[in-house]
Amino acid sequence: MSAKLNKIGADLEKARAKWKEWETKTKELEARYREQENTEICDITHSYNLTPDQLAELLRMVKETMPETPKALETTKSFDYEEEEAHEN
């Protein structure tokens, strides 16, 4: 093989390793985000002294009375990891 091809191959392997590293980090951050989000939801629920059944009923009532889900309430998978990381450091 040529030196150029060997260099490209080495760069490709480095890129694949970085990709796996970032994929792992992304999954960890998503899990941490979801865990914190769930904690905050539970804290809010407890602050109103709601039982799980009361919360479920409240959410059903809200869903039935809302004509259309506002964009602000739609669930998204997007998250600015750089912004979160900046706040942690």
Side-chain angles (χ1 to χ4, degrees):
M1 284 196 226
S2 70
K4 197 172 194 177
L5 190 57
N6 288 337
K7 168 113 174 68
I8 293 170
D11 288 345
L12 179 59
E13 286 305 312
K14 287 180 191 175
R16 285 180 178 152
K18 280 287 188 189
W19 181 19
K20 288 181 183 178
E21 180 183 326
W22 279 102
E23 184 178 36
T24 300
K25 184 173 182 168
T26 298
K27 287 180 181 179
E28 290 171 0
L29 286 169
E30 286 173 343
R32 285 178 41 205
Y33 183 87
R34 199 169 26 257
E35 184 178 326
Q36 182 61 35
E37 186 177 49
N38 289 341
T39 298
E40 290 182 20
I41 290 168
C42 287
D43 289 347
I44 291 167
T45 302
H46 290 300
S47 73
Y48 284 97
N49 296 317
L50 296 174
T51 66
D53 290 336
Q54 290 171 324
L55 177 61
E57 182 60 28
L58 177 63
L59 293 174
R60 264 192 298 281
M61 289 170 42
V62 168
K63 185 177 180 180
E64 290 171 2
T65 60
M66 290 181 84
E68 188 176 313
T69 304
K71 290 284 184 197
L73 296 177
E74 288 181 1
T75 308
T76 62
K77 290 267 182 190
S78 66
F79 180 73
D80 189 346
Y81 292 108
E82 290 176 4
E83 183 180 317
E84 177 66 21
E85 207 168 59
H87 290 306
E88 289 180 359
N89 295 330

